[in-house]
């Protein structure tokens, strides 16, 4: 995601979906008995970055998630973001889909 002029990579837009489940990362880290510092050191990232990932402020991309799953000895699915439940409408979908009477949902 670097621009052609060699500037810094673009950040994920605010509110964009995360690739990871923050609570899943925290759960797996605690189950592995690791501190944020220990996990960060094993991954070659900062403790602040781990804290931001667990708080949902920063995204852990697919490659980092695979490394985390390996270090935490947990299935990758524990760390990955979960999609909406089947049949469940999200707020943005509900606003644009007609209700049973044919009009937009309230």
């Amino acid at each position: 995601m670097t621009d052609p002029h060699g500037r810094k990579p673009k950040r994920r837009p605010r509110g964009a979906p995360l690739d990871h489940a923050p609570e899943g990362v925290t759960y797996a880290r605690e189950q592995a008995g690791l501190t944020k510092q220990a996990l960060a050191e094993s991954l070659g990232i900062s403790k602040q970055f781990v804290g931001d990932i667990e708080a949902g402020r920063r995204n852990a991309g697919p490659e980092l998630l695979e490394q985390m799953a390996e270090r935490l000895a947990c299935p990758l699915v524990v760390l990955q973001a979960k999609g909406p439940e089947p049949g469940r409408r999200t707020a943005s979908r509900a606003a644009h889909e007609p209700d049973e009477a044919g009009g937009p949902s309230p």
Side-chain angles (χ1 to χ4, degrees), residues 17-62:
L18 298 168
D19 292 325
H20 70 284
E23 67 283 353
V25 174
T26 304
Y27 173 81
R29 179 183 57 77
E30 290 173 348
Q31 290 298 305
L34 295 176
T35 63
K36 291 177 189 176
Q37 184 68 42
L39 178 60
E41 288 174 2
S42 75
L43 295 168
I45 60 177
S46 72
K47 177 183 169 185
Q48 180 66 48
F49 190 28
V50 172
D52 287 347
I53 288 168
E54 290 186 2
R57 289 186 295 265
R58 304 266 310 267
N59 188 44

